[in-house]
Amino acid sequence: MAEAAHRYDETMPLEYRTEESRLNILGFWIFLGAEVALFATLFATYLVLFQRTGSGPTAKDLFEVKDVLIETLLLLTSSFTCGLAIFEMRRNRLSGLLTWLLVTLLLGAGFITFEIREFIHYVHEGATMQTSAFLSSFFVLVGTHGAHVSLGIGWMILIIIQLLQRGFTPRTARKVFIVSLYWHFLDVVWIFIFTLVYLTGMVI
Amino acid sequence: MKWSEFFVTGEPLIYAADVAIVLTIIGIVFVLTYFKKWKWLWDEWLTTVDHKKIGIMYIICAVLMLFRGGVDALLMRAQLTAPNMKFLDAQHYNEIFTTHGTIMILFMAMPFIIGLMNVVVPLQIGARDVAYPYLNALSFWLFFFGAMLFNISFVIGGSPDAGWTAYFPLASNEFSPGVGNNYYAVALQISGIGTLMTGINFLVTILKMRAPGMTLMRMPMFTWTVLITCVIIIFAFPVLTVALALMTFDRLFDTQFFTMANGGMSMLWANLFWIWGHPEVYIVILPSFGIFSEIVSTFARKRLFGYKAMVGSIVGIAFLSFIVWVHHFFTMGAGPAVNSFFSITTMAIAIPTGVKVFNWLFTLRKGKIRFTTAMLWALAFIPNFVIGGVTGVMLAMAAADYQYHNSYFLIAHFHYVLIAGTVFACFAGLHYWYPKMFGHLLNERLGKWTFWLFMIGFNVCFFPMYFLGLMGMTRRMYTYSAGLGWTPLNVVATIGAALMGIGFIVLCYNIYYSARYGERDMTGDPWDGRTLEWATASPPAHYNFPITPEVTDLDAYWVMKKNGNGLEVKEEQLKPIHMPSNSGRPFLISIAFFFAGFGLVFKWFTLAIIAAIFIILGLILRSFDDDDGYYISVDEIKRTERLARKGA
Amino acid sequence: MGANNHHESFPWKHVVGFVLSLVLTFAALWVALSSGLTAKAIIGVIVIFAIIQASLQLFMFMHMTESDSGKIQTINMAYAFFIAIVVVAGSVWTMSFVL
């Protein structure tokens, strides 16, 4: 695609300037498509099993609005601040980018903290992964999302280090952009966890 | 754990295998050391990111796995030849049909197809490599070590024995307490990750790296089928990932997904497995259709008939393949609405497939057909595959399926589809592209021997199974009594299997014979080909094309030859070529995956965690790696090209 | 291209997206807990809210349609959505017959 390379002038965002970057960003989008299928399977499993509680507690017994709402707001806000980070990057402001990435990280860490607390709370109430099919599917679905967020935090730290070392380059800009896609996507997944797991669980 | 539990003991066959494995390893190490080939192995193969070499490695592994899976098949046929045979006991038989199925689908058919994809697709679209060469190497090594992990199960710990579908509750801890099914869950997971990355890699490659002028509707048919296959891989494999993860949780951490108590649902496994499993069938069959399309068109010397209809039918299958999975368990009894819906969608798939069959037939019509070995496979494919397809439509009728389900009728059906479709395609593609890969042709005489032995053997083996199925013989039974009247047909089937085995041996001999005495391919275009891979030397230079070709039509190379332009290399047009650097990291990361997997199989979590740390370390190193590859200088390109032309 | 917002000095798109997301989140919460609708209706409404909110993320935060691969990215996500519906609805429907 030699032609395509020429179509991009200096006014294009930095993350799109090399052929490699454009390929990587597209590849990551495709990967997110695969992630949709992955989470869809976990949701399917959960929705098939969520009323099969055996002798264990039901969703209604366990879920509490307050905890879930705090987690939701933390993650939603972190998605917003992550968007601001990209906004700053496209204005060529390294300090702004770093600040918002750091805020995103902290909000993500807050989310994970609350989620772990929630899980520990359930376990103390005798609701473990081994208790019933409902709880197995609940812990694996929500846990997989949490594992993704944790991975995202580690990944973002690596990228912040690289930004500090190297500043803005097509390579670092592309990495920031890709991690931002990942982060927003995790919020998309959470929206459905919030809706199909927690809200639905409190209704039925 | 005692050593006697760690190693599989008590079977003479297994001891023989132990000895064979140890001797092979010693032999390989000795040869590499004696000929001082360790550095060559590392530099040229283990660290390579060249799609052609990766493709060749895939194919070598696939042929080895074909051997392993084939031996399993022959053992099964030996056991079933006569009633009340004592050759294998029930447990051993269970293990063998499980590994046969798993290996043939996941470690033979898929890597064979992916290997051909690797070799051919970048060449067909005029690209220098795939979109992510490093990732491509990682894909291969993950597949390789996944396959190795699965294969060691029969000497260490014990093979999985719950069938290749590993249905619950049979595959649960309660009924399969050994480590066999842990191997199944973990090894498939590791190689599955590799396959998913291959899907993404080739999708982006095909969408973004085509030579200028090659619009989507000018792509060779094989490339089209690979494109759609990638889409199916990308959306089907995550389902397998999840299903296997849930199985792993059930088996290692006592969760309740598929258990018989506390709300678990065994049939949910079957559901998830087939949501992946049915698209998987299309993952191995669509590229096969692509291979046959290329071969039929080349050796009939005609443009493929109905190109657009072919593309349309392939795209249609991308949708349909995801909405038929329940036909694998009609007998679960999910109510008339569900069974009718999936019955109809299943039959609907016959329409796009039928379109393709007619396209091949009309391509052949009035063509100047050359009966090469590759063409023979393609010609044999059409009637044999139609037999498999028609019996598939019979199985698609939910009510009738209650009769056919899990009988030898089903066995015959899917072997007619998978062997006549995929295996024939692999052999056809191997003969067709062999000169492109290795620079010499496979011997045609021996090739035709392989063809006739294997093709006749295949029919002799599997055609009687339709009738065995109708006579009531069910799948996975390890023996039967004499009074049932199944003996004659079983004897016939075993004879067929032996013929197939002999065909395979002839193929292996052909590979050896052709390497020594085979005709060199000096032109790079031994078949008078139509697509761009034949515009390169055989084997192609590392960078594939010195100058990126300009495409003006379908059958790009054919048109170039007709018009006599676009072929010669004008030295003044050469520019330095950017290529990716080799890396040993994919190999090393995959070894770490192997140990992590091994740790999980035996619940040695310390080992698993240590290996996982190495994996993460590898990923971090990759993140900080800023190797941008290197440039091949114009002088070097000139030298390579002159040398290639002097050969011609 | 949609990627030229680096000329703007205030991230309007993001702020609007964020506010809408908050509104949808609280609306879903209200519908679920205090609206008094039937369970089926509640689930229908909150799922629609979720889909709208997910689209906000994709279009306003993730710039799905930008770059010369925008079309591919959009088709990819649309197909992923198709698969998600097939897997979830198909599994729930089929497995509803298991006792």
Side-chain angles (χ1 to χ4, degrees):
Chain A
M1 300 297 282
E3 303 164 299
H6 297 301
R7 267 192 278 131
Y8 286 84
D9 50 78
E10 294 293 299
T11 60
M12 278 313 295
L14 193 57
E15 63 269 24
Y16 283 111
R17 268 188 220 160
T18 68
E19 173 75 22
E20 193 194 358
S21 291
R22 291 196 293 279
L23 288 178
N24 285 12
I25 290 169
L26 174 60
F28 197 77
W29 271 103
I30 309 283
F31 171 73
L32 291 183
E35 287 271 71
V36 170
L38 183 131
F39 278 104
T41 313
L42 287 168
F43 274 111
T45 306
Y46 176 79
L47 291 174
V48 167
L49 298 176
F50 100 100
Q51 284 176 309
R52 301 174 72 97
T53 50
S55 52
T58 63
K60 233 176 196 159
D61 297 338
L62 286 177
F63 299 157
E64 279 167 36
V65 184
K66 202 184 99 199
D67 293 355
V68 179
L69 195 61
I70 292 171
E71 285 165 30
T72 305
L73 291 179
L74 281 172
L75 202 64
L76 184 57
T77 313
S78 83
S79 184
F80 172 59
T81 58
C82 185
L84 293 181
I86 299 300
F87 180 79
E88 290 293 310
M89 182 170 83
R90 289 189 172 175
R91 296 206 304 167
N92 251 325
R93 297 234 290 236
L94 186 58
S95 61
L97 167 64
L98 285 169
T99 312
W100 287 120
L101 277 185
L102 219 60
V103 173
T104 308
L105 260 185
L106 291 175
L107 289 167
F111 168 84
I112 287 294
T113 316
F114 271 90
E115 187 163 84
I116 291 173
R117 272 183 35 174
E118 183 195 334
F119 280 11
I120 291 174
H121 177 67
Y122 293 158
V123 171
H124 280 304
E125 288 190 10
T128 69
M129 234 164 93
Q130 288 78 17
T131 308
S132 67
F134 154 62
L135 284 164
S136 297
S137 60
F138 167 80
F139 277 110
V140 170
L141 167 58
V142 181
T144 304
H145 176 268
H148 273 74
V149 175
S150 312
L151 193 84
I153 291 172
W155 186 5
M156 224 178 248
I157 291 171
L158 290 182
I159 289 170
I160 290 175
I161 295 171
Q162 290 178 25
L163 276 172
L164 290 171
Q165 283 176 343
R166 298 168 195 175
F168 277 134
T169 66
R171 187 188 288 268
T172 51
R174 175 237 300 165
K175 288 187 178 190
V176 173
F177 188 72
I178 288 179
V179 83
S180 83
L181 289 180
Y182 182 75
W183 199 265
H184 292 309
F185 175 76
L186 294 182
D187 193 46
V188 172
V189 175
W190 183 261
I191 293 165
F192 287 98
I193 291 182
F194 176 66
T195 306
L196 290 173
V197 176
Y198 289 107
L199 290 186
T200 305
M202 285 186 258
V203 172
I204 296 179
Chain B
M1 176 176 270
K2 282 181 261 147
W3 285 113
S4 61
E5 285 172 28
F6 185 71
F7 288 110
V8 177
T9 52
E11 278 278 347
L13 279 172
I14 303 276
Y15 290 134
D18 287 336
V19 174
I21 291 170
V22 172
L23 286 179
T24 311
I25 292 172
I26 292 172
I28 291 171
V29 170
F30 175 77
V31 168
L32 286 171
T33 312
Y34 186 80
F35 293 103
K36 299 195 172 66
K37 288 288 188 189
W38 283 105
K39 190 173 155 36
W40 167 82
L41 183 70
W42 177 259
D43 289 344
E44 296 289 319
W45 296 96
L46 302 188
T47 62
T48 188
V49 293
D50 181 346
H51 67 97
K52 302 179 285 294
K53 286 185 178 168
I54 289 173
I56 288 169
M57 291 194 287
Y58 265 116
I59 292 171
I60 292 172
C61 292
V63 172
L64 287 174
M65 289 295 113
L66 179 59
F67 173 73
R68 160 82 210 266
V71 170
D72 284 345
L74 290 173
L75 291 174
M76 282 191 283
R77 280 319 316 164
Q79 165 67 18
L80 291 177
T81 310
N84 300 316
M85 286 276 280
K86 298 279 183 291
F87 178 56
L88 301 173
D89 61 26
Q91 173 60 22
H92 201 173
Y93 189 83
N94 289 350
E95 293 176 7
I96 284 175
F97 71 64
T98 302
T99 53
H100 168 76
T102 314
I103 285 175
M104 285 302 202
I105 291 280
L106 284 141
F107 300 129
M108 191 287 284
M110 285 239 304
F112 215 130
I113 294 285
I114 291 176
L116 292 171
M117 258 161 72
N118 260 286
V119 172
V120 178
V121 166
L123 293 170
Q124 276 198 335
I125 62 172
R128 296 232 158 89
D129 207 323
V130 293
Y132 320 112
Y134 176 94
L135 203 61
N136 201 21
L138 188 58
S139 289
F140 170 73
W141 289 111
L142 284 176
F143 146 70
F144 177 81
F145 283 106
M148 287 303 108
L149 187 62
F150 188 83
N151 271 279
I152 60 166
S153 66
F154 86 107
V155 287
I156 296 175
S159 296
D161 56 359
W164 90 279
T165 51
Y167 272 9
F168 279 82
L170 180 58
S172 67
N173 279 334
E174 196 180 349
F175 298 103
S176 298
V179 296
N181 278 289
N182 297 351
Y183 271 113
Y184 175 94
V186 175
L188 264 56
Q189 187 72 283
I190 291 172
S191 65
I193 296 167
T195 309
L196 177 63
M197 295 192 304
T198 299
I200 296 174
N201 207 340
F202 278 80
L203 183 71
V204 176
T205 304
I206 295 172
L207 287 176
K208 284 284 153 184
M209 295 177 71
R210 300 191 306 277
M214 185 179 280
T215 57
L216 283 176
M217 293 312 271
R218 286 179 190 163
M219 287 198 315
M221 190 48 65
F222 180 61
T223 302
W224 252 114
T225 56
V226 171
L227 175 75
I228 297 302
T229 301
C230 289
V231 172
I232 300 179
I233 288 177
I234 290 162
F235 293 102
F237 264 77
V239 182
L240 178 70
T241 303
V242 170
L244 290 172
L246 302 185
M247 173 191 258
T248 312
F249 276 113
D250 259 14
R251 290 190 56 86
L252 298 186
F253 307 118
D254 299 313
T255 52
Q256 309 287 347
F257 289 103
F258 311 124
T259 53
M260 308 266 279
N262 300 314
M265 189 194 278
S266 304
M267 278 314 288
L268 181 61
W269 163 265
N271 181 67
L272 296 180
F273 181 86
W274 287 114
I275 291 178
W276 161 79
H278 199 85
E280 164 69 14
V281 177
Y282 286 90
I283 292 168
V284 293
I285 203 70
L286 281 182
S288 307
F289 291 165
I291 292 169
F292 290 128
S293 299
E294 299 292 338
I295 290 173
V296 164
S297 160
T298 301
F299 294 113
R301 301 194 203 208
K302 277 178 68 192
R303 180 166 285 194
L304 190 66
F305 181 89
Y307 177 88
K308 280 182 191 161
M310 201 78 142
V311 171
S313 63
I314 297 167
V315 174
I317 285 178
F319 285 93
L320 283 174
S321 65
F322 278 98
I323 47 174
V324 298
W325 77 89
V326 176
H327 69 216
H328 292 274
F329 48 97
F330 277 148
T331 50
M332 183 185 89
V338 174
N339 277 5
S340 305
F341 175 84
F342 285 96
S343 185
I344 291 166
T345 52
T346 304
M347 289 187 224
I349 277 211
I351 297 168
T353 314
V355 168
K356 291 196 198 70
V357 171
F358 283 110
N359 282 339
W360 291 312
L361 292 177
F362 281 116
T363 308
L364 290 168
R365 185 170 174 268
K366 292 193 174 174
K368 296 191 194 77
I369 296 174
R370 282 175 291 165
F371 292 94
T372 58
T373 308
M375 187 61 164
L376 287 179
W377 285 114
L379 292 174
F381 149 76
I382 297 173
N384 283 305
F385 185 79
V386 167
I387 294 174
V390 169
T391 49
V393 178
M394 291 168 71
L395 284 156
M397 293 181 278
D401 181 68
Y402 273 69
Q403 201 62 35
Y404 306 133
H405 186 80
N406 269 1
S407 72
Y408 263 73
F409 189 87
L410 171 81
I411 306 259
H413 155 68
F414 72 70
H415 282 91
Y416 261 86
V417 183
L418 285 170
I419 295 183
T422 305
V423 177
F424 281 20
C426 291
F427 288 160
L430 187 69
H431 281 85
Y432 183 58
W433 283 305
Y434 203 85
K436 193 48 63 188
M437 290 186 257
F438 297 103
H440 61 267
L441 285 78
L442 280 175
N443 183 285
E444 281 286 303
R445 217 178 121 85
L446 288 170
K448 284 174 185 169
W449 270 101
T450 308
F451 167 75
W452 288 110
L453 282 166
F454 196 92
M455 201 274 288
I456 292 172
F458 160 70
N459 276 287
V460 172
C461 181
F462 290 102
F463 203 73
M465 289 188 191
Y466 282 120
F467 299 97
L468 281 171
L470 297 177
M471 289 160 79
M473 183 163 169
T474 53
R475 178 182 200 187
R476 291 166 181 163
M477 57 194 330
Y478 88 105
T479 191
Y480 52 91
S481 64
L484 289 161
W486 301 341
T487 316
L489 288 179
N490 270 305
V491 171
V492 173
T494 304
I495 293 169
L499 285 176
M500 292 166 83
I502 296 168
F504 177 75
I505 292 170
V506 176
L507 174 71
C508 294
Y509 176 69
N510 193 0
I511 290 171
Y512 160 79
Y513 177 87
S514 303
R516 291 199 67 168
Y517 312 109
E519 182 192 332
R520 303 286 129 181
D521 172 28
M522 300 313 221
T523 61
D525 182 22
W527 313 118
D528 198 7
R530 311 177 73 84
T531 41
L532 283 176
E533 73 268 33
W534 306 109
T536 61
S538 288
H542 176 43
Y543 47 78
N544 293 353
F545 298 92
I547 295 167
T548 305
E550 295 263 350
V551 176
T552 54
D553 200 353
L554 186 61
D555 291 334
Y557 185 51
W558 183 260
V559 174
M560 284 177 189
K561 283 191 284 191
K562 273 269 168 70
N563 301 336
N565 60 25
L567 294 171
E568 68 287 352
V569 177
K570 296 194 188 77
E571 291 199 339
E572 64 276 9
Q573 287 178 352
L574 291 174
K575 283 184 207 129
I577 294 173
H578 179 252
M579 294 304 285
S581 311
N582 282 2
S583 171
R585 218 179 292 123
F587 179 71
L588 298 173
I589 289 178
S590 304
I591 291 183
F593 264 98
F594 177 87
F595 282 106
F598 195 76
L600 284 180
V601 166
F602 284 91
K603 295 198 196 181
W604 296 346
F605 293 117
T606 323
L607 174 64
I609 290 167
I610 292 170
I613 290 171
F614 273 98
I615 295 169
I616 293 167
L617 201 67
L619 297 178
I620 292 176
L621 285 173
R622 168 66 177 170
S623 178
F624 280 86
D625 185 358
D626 47 8
D627 186 342
D628 276 321
Y630 63 96
Y631 280 90
I632 303 177
S633 69
V634 173
D635 284 340
E636 199 186 328
I637 303 169
K638 279 183 191 166
R639 246 179 291 135
T640 314
E641 291 300 314
R642 279 178 195 155
L643 211 65
R645 251 171 303 158
K646 210 188 288 168
Chain C
M1 295 299 314
N4 298 322
N5 54 4
H6 55 294
H7 295 304
E8 293 171 25
S9 55
F10 189 78
W12 282 113
K13 220 174 162 179
H14 293 90
V15 173
V16 171
F18 182 52
V19 171
L20 284 175
S21 298
L22 285 175
V23 170
L24 284 165
T25 303
F26 283 104
L29 196 66
W30 180 80
V31 170
L33 300 182
S34 331
S35 68
L37 293 170
T38 60
K40 252 190 186 162
I42 289 175
I43 291 169
V45 172
I46 60 179
V47 166
I48 290 169
F49 283 178
I51 292 171
I52 298 172
Q53 207 183 329
S55 315
L56 282 176
Q57 295 270 338
L58 287 169
F59 288 104
M60 301 187 85
F61 287 1
M62 294 168 82
H63 318 281
M64 179 167 68
T65 51
E66 78 179 10
S67 94
D68 61 348
S69 300
K71 226 186 251 168
I72 301 172
Q73 287 159 195
T74 312
I75 293 172
N76 173 57
M77 276 313 191
Y79 191 73
F81 192 66
F82 160 73
I83 297 290
I85 288 178
V86 167
V87 171
V88 173
S91 297
V92 170
W93 186 35
T94 308
M95 290 296 113
S96 67
F97 293 87
V98 178
L99 297 174

